Amino acid sequence: MTIKIGILGLGGIGAAHAQALAALADSGTEVSLEAFSGSARSAAGFGWPDARRLTTDELIADQSIDVLTVCSPSAFHAEHTSAALCAGKHVVVEKPMALTTTDAERVRDQASAAGLVVSPVAQRRFEPLNIELKAAIASGQLGRVVLGETFVHWHRSDDYYAEADWRTDADGGGSLMNQGLHNADLLCWLLGGATAVAGHTATLGHDIAAEDTAVAALRFANGALGVIATTTATGVGEPSELSIWTTTGSARITQSGISRWDFPTAPRPTESEVPASGASDPRAIGIAGHVAQWADVLGALTTGTEPMITADDGVATVAVLDGIYRSAAGGRTVDVGMISAAES
């Protein structure tokens, strides 16, 4: 039975979803892009010449669609996801699932009550290297983790911000929520969930309302500490990086692969093809992660099981970022608790 998809927002990231779905269809997966909204262009260029262009309201209400992909500006993600759930649709929602913990929890609870799936996009969790690193940490063979760090030193030009007003908005457009979320999500997932955060934000290189630079300290449930730093104000961009420091060694992972691995107790993970970096150009990011997550979601819907990335995971990540913003605004450490799904 073919699973029918709608894409709400066929912009840059919506196009990545369309291409990922086309790749899966070409490989034999029974999936079809039925309709889309939010773009003057056709979906034909992304492999779907028969997809219909609808308004947002028409798309949400269309009863032929099984799964709605929410790719609208970040500030609308919770609203559009909630509307799709009310219309009886499963949802794959781009990052972030919501801007606040309260809204994320509301979406999660609504999906649970309706018996519907909400899977927030966290495609970096599907990279084979990260899966292997997660398993090695969880097994204890790397020793006790004492520190986790992730740095996103990217460049975004004034033209990038001028292309879409929402990118300049303090509600979802900042370097932490927009550019840094995936690495923050990956760090917290690898280390089993954060319990407390303290952060600072600033706008230093652009004339925008959103922050273009953020730093945060984290405490994880396993006792380890962590650091997140993001910026789009640098003159040139570098691939994002993530480092794990333990009692036996350390590793540094960039979007080019492993740049350091010095654990005497564990073999170096197998390196496969890694996604392109969006350090200086967001259009350079490939679709491999989206293909992997869509394959997982479609498989879960077909078998009636949970996808790898659940609404609980979305709540956990939003809680961390929301906590950092609240800490920066209030000058205090914020308790973000620990969502059990963050350990899955």
Side-chain angles (χ1 to χ4, degrees), residues 209-298:
E211 91 284 347
D212 61 17
T213 305
V215 295
L218 296 83
R219 183 179 296 277
F220 296 99
N222 62 8
L225 301 181
V227 175
I228 296 171
T230 71
T231 184
T232 59
T234 58
V236 294
E238 295 183 352
S240 60
E241 63 179 63
L242 186 150
S243 296
I244 303 294
W245 302 81
T246 82
T247 52
T248 66
S250 63
R252 177 177 292 123
I253 311 297
T254 75
Q255 285 188 276
S256 300
I258 301 172
S259 63
R260 184 179 67 247
W261 184 271
D262 58 9
F263 290 105
T265 56
R268 184 186 180 100
T270 304
E271 293 185 74
S272 55
E273 184 177 352
V274 294
S277 168
S280 297
D281 181 1
R283 294 167 297 184
I285 300 172
I287 65 168
H290 285 82
V291 171
Q293 182 156 357
W294 266 111
D296 176 73
V297 169
L298 295 171

Side-chain angles (χ1 to χ4, degrees), residues 308-321:
M308 177 176 165
I309 314 298
T310 67
D312 273 337
D313 293 302
V315 171
T317 298
V318 170
V320 169
L321 272 60

Side-chain angles (χ1 to χ4, degrees), residues 14 33 73 81 122 139 154 183 194 198 216 236 253 258-259 307:
L33 177 59
T81 299
S139 72
W154 285 6
N183 268 56
V236 294
I253 311 297
I258 301 172
S259 63

Side-chain angles (χ1 to χ4, degrees), residues 40-323:
R41 59 185 173 179
S42 167
F46 310 115
W48 301 102
D50 297 326
R52 295 168 287 136
R53 181 185 292 111
L54 303 175
T55 67
T56 294
D57 289 344
E58 290 171 339
L59 184 64
I60 291 172
D62 193 317
Q63 290 302 300
S64 71
I65 293 170
D66 302 307
V67 185
L68 187 67
T69 311
V70 175
C71 300
S72 49
S74 297
F76 296 98
H77 285 184
E79 175 186 335
H80 287 153
T81 299
S82 179
L85 292 170
C86 285
K89 294 173 173 54
H90 303 291
V91 179
V92 170
V93 54
E94 262 298 335
K95 55 86 177 168
M97 187 169 85
L99 298 187
T100 68
T101 310
T102 298
D103 282 348
E105 289 175 337
R106 176 176 53 81
V107 167
R108 177 200 60 194
D109 294 346
Q110 182 183 357
S112 177
L116 295 168
V117 167
V118 170
S119 184
V121 173
Q123 76 270 24
R124 296 215 59 196
R125 297 193 192 187
F126 289 89
E127 294 171 24
L129 173 58
N130 294 331
I131 292 173
E132 195 167 342
L133 180 58
K134 168 75 169 174
I137 293 171
S139 72
Q141 68 181 123
L142 303 186
R144 180 176 181 179
V145 178
V146 297
L147 182 65
E149 306 167 326
T150 188
F151 302 108
V152 182
H153 303 141
W154 285 6
H155 169 74
R156 290 295 182 264
S157 66
D158 290 337
D159 288 343
Y160 164 83
Y161 286 106
E163 286 175 359
D165 289 344
W166 71 268
R167 295 172 179 169
T168 71
D169 198 316
D171 288 334
S175 70
L176 178 64
M177 187 70 83
N178 193 18
Q179 281 79 28
L181 182 148
H182 284 310
N183 268 56
D185 171 82
L186 187 60
L187 180 67
C188 292
W189 176 64
L190 288 170
L191 270 61
T195 60
V197 298
H200 296 278
T201 61
T203 307
L204 303 173
H206 300 95
D207 184 17
I208 58 176
E211 91 284 347
D212 61 17
T213 305
V215 295
L218 296 83
R219 183 179 296 277
F220 296 99
N222 62 8
L225 301 181
V227 175
I228 296 171
T230 71
T231 184
T232 59
T234 58
V236 294
E238 295 183 352
S240 60
E241 63 179 63
L242 186 150
S243 296
I244 303 294
W245 302 81
T246 82
T247 52
T248 66
S250 63
R252 177 177 292 123
I253 311 297
T254 75
Q255 285 188 276
S256 300
I258 301 172
S259 63
R260 184 179 67 247
W261 184 271
D262 58 9
F263 290 105
T265 56
R268 184 186 180 100
T270 304
E271 293 185 74
S272 55
E273 184 177 352
V274 294
S277 168
S280 297
D281 181 1
R283 294 167 297 184
I285 300 172
I287 65 168
H290 285 82
V291 171
Q293 182 156 357
W294 266 111
D296 176 73
V297 169
L298 295 171
L301 292 176
T302 300
T303 59
T305 57
E306 278 197 339
M308 177 176 165
I309 314 298
T310 67
D312 273 337
D313 293 302
V315 171
T317 298
V318 170
V320 169
L321 272 60
D322 181 29

